[in-house]
Amino acid sequence: MCRNMSIVILWKSKVLILILVLTSFAVQLLIALLVLRDLRLPQSGCGGLGYVQPIPVPEARAREALAGKSPTNRELQSFASKSLSSHASQLLDRASDASRPLQVPASDARRTRLYEDLSREPQRAAPTYKGSKLAALFEHPLYNLPGPTLSTDDKLLTVNMRERFRPKSSDDEDWVSMEELEYVLLAGDSPADTYPNWMKFHMGINRYELYSRHNPHIETLLQELGTMKIVRVAQKHGGTQLKLVMTLENYGKVLFKPMKQTREQETSGDLFYFSDFERHTAEIAAFHLDRILDFRRIPPVAGRLVNMVKEIREITSDRKLEKTFFISPAKNVCFYGDCSYYCSMEHALCGKPNALEGSMAAYLPDIKLSKRLTWRNPWRRSYHERKKAKWEINPDYCAHVKKTPPYDKGTRLLEVIDMTILDFLMGNMDRHHYETFQKFENETFLIHLDNGRGFGRHSYDELSILAPLQQCCRIKRSTYSRLQLLATERYRLSDVMRESLSRDRMDPILIEPHLLALDRRLQIVLKTTQDCIERLGVGSVVEDDLGDHVGETKPCQKRGCGAKQTDAQLAQRSVKLSRFPTTYLSPRDRPGGKVTPYLTEQFTARE
Ligand SMILES: Nc1ncnc2c1ncn2[C@@H]1O[C@H](COP(=O)(O)OP(=O)(O)OP(=O)(O)O)[C@@H](O)[C@H]1O
Ligand SMILES: [Mn+2]
């Protein structure tokens, strides 16, 4: 009986084991089939789920990271602030964007961290290209158009090769030969090699540009602005806010604008443009933006951390300035200077404890050497909280401007439109005047000085800045083409700006929302231009300053001509740029030869 019982139990347990084995086998088979189905779905492209693209692994990881699933990102989250989360969501966008280079501003360690995590992912999609977007931009044919041949009349300064430099003191008069209005050179056998960089910059200024593309001296000059010993400091009078004129040890002069706001502070919408602070970062960023737009109409500007005691107070001979120095309750060195706005104890500029950040702008040649004309901007604002300017009331304002010298001839109106685009991109409403070099009369570019009120608001686009483009519906073809290029992924404006600014010692210069606002505003400029073209036709909107195509042999007389190979090269690089028929070219007025002021009181020579 007992034996029978044990045989039954043995059989029962054997059957149980068999059932268990079979069940586990069936479960495994089911799992395998499900996995197989998941893998096939995206390729099949059919069925409800089939249309949903799988999240690429890096992006999935980024999402996981944001959800705080990995230990690394929990660690990141513990630092998390609102701005980090917006950074992170931008990163998320970038992670799915295969064509972006892996460039990380060194200063943002947290961002770098997350980026490193993503870049370690083995299945990360390979970028469609490697290297620098900025370098690629500057190699593009649109940035390599042969320039005009320069005659003596096209150069701002003539240099007396025989004279030698004998610095007695660092006063302007000692390094400028007054009678001949020429530069006196540094001692040396081969003068060109011995010029300081600021002098090379001055000597390169011509009718068409402040400096040439690919000019190696500009990079060196920027380095010097950021590092070279400061030997002399004084206040710069004129203008509204405090700024200093500094002299470097190679006698180069610099306009220093001190930091007044942190990078994160966004200008309040309740503040009028004329009460806004000037931002040193805007001066730096404006130089980079102007160069990226290929205008080259802003003198080089670099960021610098200045020792307020050793590099300002101890070396200044300006007693008024020296007297305004004090030590704050927080034991920081402060000063407020002497000017018409914000020069008071309440608006003092304080260091940490004595280091003060600021922008260093290379000076233009002394006005004794090259006079400048200051012109009122026809689209200037009223600078009054209740008054409106004429252009705001009269919808036909541009027709009036077009009839008024110097806007009735040559390229002056188009130059104003270029300036408008620069200002709209950076949100600068403070362009009341612009300057030109007197020597070049009316046929020249506009110098874009004083950009400190740009980059104030990143969350708002001030459309009224675009009024000249909207009202006149005119743009240079070279400008329009470059704007289109900067709107493509390969040369995206925010990316090339980020990269260009990353070379500055004070990087990051602009916080991310300001960079992204550039892309948004660029779309608005393009849309405004396209609306004009739809309404009026390409021929009356786009001025073909790129010249004829193949076959042009005459020496260039005008800015930007000689661009024969452009369209062919553009096609080669498969960049979608609008092509314009060359037959619509309107006959352009040639320079009249004489300066024709807008209204006599509207320009004054800078003395
Ligand atoms: N890089 C430069 N080289 C030579 N002169 C310059 C330079 N930058 C500015 N200036 C001169 O200094 C003057 C004042 O500079 P800027 O306009 O930047 O100061 P500001 O205080 O903002 O003036 P405002 O209050 O009138 O706007 C300018 O009108 C210009 O003539
Ligand atoms: Mn100003």
Side-chain angles (χ1 to χ4, degrees):
M1 175 77 182
C2 249
R3 208 169 150 240
N4 278 348
M5 280 277 286
S6 62
I7 290 171
V8 168
I9 288 168
L10 193 72
W11 271 106
K12 272 189 179 172
S13 57
K14 276 185 181 172
V15 168
L16 205 68
I17 289 167
L18 194 71
I19 289 170
L20 275 174
V21 168
L22 282 174
T23 320
S24 82
F25 183 71
V27 168
Q28 294 220 3
L29 197 73
L30 209 66
I31 291 171
L33 280 172
L34 280 174
V35 169
L36 213 64
R37 199 188 76 131
D38 277 356
L39 285 174
R40 279 196 192 144
L41 267 176
Q43 285 156 12
S44 69
C46 57
L49 276 172
Y51 288 109
V52 181
Q53 287 297 308
I55 298 171
V57 177
E59 191 173 338
R61 272 208 65 175
R63 282 195 206 286
E64 256 181 35
L66 290 178
K69 283 186 188 159
S70 78
T72 325
N73 288 290
R74 259 198 297 279
E75 191 186 310
L76 272 173
Q77 272 199 335
S78 66
F79 291 103
S81 64
K82 218 172 149 201
S83 70
L84 174 61
S85 63
S86 77
H87 270 155
S89 65
Q90 286 151 16
L91 273 170
L92 202 59
D93 291 345
R94 286 186 212 168
S96 59
D97 182 349
S99 56
R100 277 178 180 267
L102 280 172
Q103 277 149 7
V104 186
S107 48
D108 196 334
R110 286 176 297 184
R111 217 181 331 170
T112 312
R113 191 76 173 269
L114 185 49
Y115 232 123
E116 277 172 0
D117 288 347
L118 295 173
S119 60
R120 271 203 294 271
E121 184 59 58
Q123 288 177 43
R124 195 170 188 284
T128 50
Y129 77 99
K130 287 201 172 75
S132 148
K133 278 196 181 185
L134 189 65
L137 181 76
F138 290 154
E139 278 163 22
H140 190 276
L142 273 174
Y143 288 75
N144 287 282
L145 305 174
T149 317
L150 300 178
S151 69
T152 321
D153 283 350
D154 294 330
K155 293 181 186 164
L156 185 66
L157 302 166
T158 47
V159 180
N160 184 342
M161 295 288 198
R162 285 169 307 234
E163 283 205 61
R164 283 167 178 255
F165 184 53
R166 288 177 293 273
K168 282 180 230 138
S169 81
S170 52
D171 284 343
D172 296 355
E173 286 71 20
D174 290 306
W175 38 276
V176 167
S177 158
M178 289 301 294
E179 297 100 279
E180 303 189 23
L181 288 185
E182 286 170 344
Y183 272 117
V184 184
L185 301 179
L186 289 171
D189 291 336
S190 160
D193 296 336
T194 62
Y195 303 161
N197 276 302
W198 60 264
M199 201 186 260
K200 286 178 185 161
F201 160 54
H202 288 183
M203 282 161 41
I205 300 175
N206 63 58
R207 182 184 292 281
Y208 309 100
E209 62 202 7
L210 277 184
Y211 54 94
S212 61
R213 298 183 192 114
H214 320 296
N215 181 338
H217 308 305
I218 298 300
E219 284 310 320
T220 326
L221 181 58
L222 287 169
Q223 292 294 325
E224 288 174 1
L225 292 171
T227 53
M228 191 173 265
K229 190 175 172 195
I230 301 162
V231 295
R232 203 166 160 237
V233 180
Q235 282 195 92
K236 166 105 174 83
H237 295 287
T240 51
Q241 301 187 25
L242 176 81
K243 49 204 168 303
L244 306 173
V245 193
M246 296 181 163
T247 309
L248 302 180
E249 67 178 343
N250 68 352
Y251 301 95
K253 268 171 74 176
V254 176
L255 188 68
F256 175 81
K257 290 199 179 181
M259 171 168 173
K260 298 188 183 120
Q261 278 184 334
T262 65
R263 286 152 171 76
E264 288 74 25
Q265 269 173 297
E266 189 172 15
T267 301
S268 157
D270 291 330
L271 204 66
F272 280 101
Y273 48 91
F274 46 80
S275 321
D276 192 9
F277 279 122
E278 298 214 301
R279 283 164 287 276
H280 73 300
T281 45
E283 294 284 355
I284 304 165
F287 161 72
H288 288 261
L289 179 60
D290 171 88
R291 183 167 62 169
I292 282 168
L293 293 171
D294 201 42
F295 291 160
R296 290 168 281 116
R297 299 165 201 169
I298 298 182
V301 188
R304 179 163 180 162
L305 212 53
V306 168
N307 182 321
M308 294 165 74
V309 177
K310 290 198 158 59
E311 294 179 305
I312 301 179
R313 202 193 67 197
E314 284 180 7
I315 57 173
T316 187
S317 49
D318 189 332
R319 294 289 147 249
K320 273 191 182 167
L321 174 67
E322 203 188 342
K323 274 188 193 164
T324 68
F325 274 80
F326 63 95
I327 305 283
S328 74
K331 304 272 181 290
N332 290 320
V333 179
C334 307
F335 76 115
Y336 52 87
D338 176 34
C339 64
S340 53
Y341 269 48
Y342 303 125
C343 280
S344 62
M345 184 73 96
E346 298 78 53
H347 292 107
L349 303 164
C350 298
K352 272 191 185 125
N354 58 16
L356 177 68
E357 208 183 302
S359 60
M360 306 276 286
Y363 244 69
L364 291 172
D366 197 291
I367 44 170
K368 288 166 194 150
L369 287 169
S370 58
K371 274 198 181 139
R372 300 200 296 274
L373 301 176
T374 302
W375 302 78
R376 272 198 220 160
N377 180 356
W379 278 270
R380 72 191 167 278
R381 288 169 192 275
S382 69
Y383 288 79
H384 190 284
E385 59 272 28
R386 282 184 301 277
K387 278 188 202 151
K388 278 196 184 297
K390 281 185 199 152
W391 59 268
E392 291 175 279
I393 306 160
N394 178 6
D396 219 17
Y397 185 73
C398 185
H400 159 72
V401 176
K402 275 179 183 167
K403 279 185 242 142
T404 317
Y407 305 97
D408 61 336
K409 284 198 186 110
T411 57
R412 183 62 70 92
L413 186 65
L414 291 160
E415 305 290 341
V416 171
I417 306 280
D418 278 355
M419 182 169 72
T420 291
I421 291 167
L422 174 83
D423 283 337
F424 176 70
L425 289 174
M426 61 183 180
N428 179 22
M429 300 166 80
D430 188 36
R431 187 72 65 191
H432 41 88
H433 287 82
Y434 61 82
E435 298 186 26
T436 59
F437 289 109
Q438 189 180 36
K439 176 174 181 183
F440 304 135
E441 302 179 335
N442 283 338
E443 196 58 24
T444 187
F445 65 94
L446 316 182
I447 312 166
H448 304 153
L449 294 177
D450 189 13
N451 303 292
R453 286 193 174 123
F455 297 102
R457 298 178 71 187
H458 48 72
S459 52
Y460 175 77
D461 304 329
E462 182 55 58
L463 295 176
S464 67
I465 304 174
L466 267 190
L469 177 64
Q470 276 164 345
Q471 296 181 348
C472 302
C473 274
R474 298 280 288 143
I475 190 169
K476 290 184 199 177
R477 181 184 170 200
S478 57
T479 305
Y480 187 35
S481 304
R482 285 185 192 109
L483 293 177
Q484 287 175 309
L485 193 66
L486 291 164
T488 61
E489 170 52 32
R490 179 78 168 93
Y491 306 97
R492 196 201 307 241
L493 179 56
S494 58
D495 290 343
V496 287
M497 264 298 274
R498 190 184 298 106
E499 193 185 332
S500 188
L501 290 171
S502 73
R503 295 180 185 173
D504 193 278
R505 297 168 70 79
M506 292 295 112
D507 179 61
I509 303 298
L510 294 180
I511 56 168
E512 206 57 21
H514 278 301
L515 292 170
L516 301 181
L518 287 172
D519 293 331
R520 189 179 68 226
R521 292 173 189 158
L522 177 57
Q523 288 303 326
I524 297 174
V525 179
L526 290 174
K527 174 80 172 61
T528 308
T529 313
Q530 279 145 17
D531 288 349
C532 286
I533 293 174
E534 267 168 36
R535 215 154 33 89
L536 305 165
V538 75
S540 40
V541 176
V542 184
E543 171 77 17
D544 192 349
D545 62 332
L546 292 180
D548 277 348
H549 294 263
V550 192
E552 186 179 32
T553 49
K554 279 180 282 173
C556 266
Q557 295 299 319
K558 290 280 238 176
R559 182 187 180 85
C561 59
K564 293 170 235 168
Q565 73 291 52
T566 312
D567 281 355
Q569 284 174 325
L570 291 182
Q572 255 181 16
R573 295 194 176 206
S574 59
V575 173
K576 267 198 195 162
L577 287 177
S578 300
R579 292 183 181 209
F580 306 110
T582 49
T583 43
Y584 73 84
L585 278 175
S586 56
R588 266 177 304 173
D589 296 293
R590 291 284 148 192
K594 278 206 157 182
V595 178
T596 35
Y598 178 23
L599 288 175
T600 28
E601 84 277 8
Q602 276 193 310
F603 81 104
T604 44
R606 281 262 157 200
E607 295 293 355

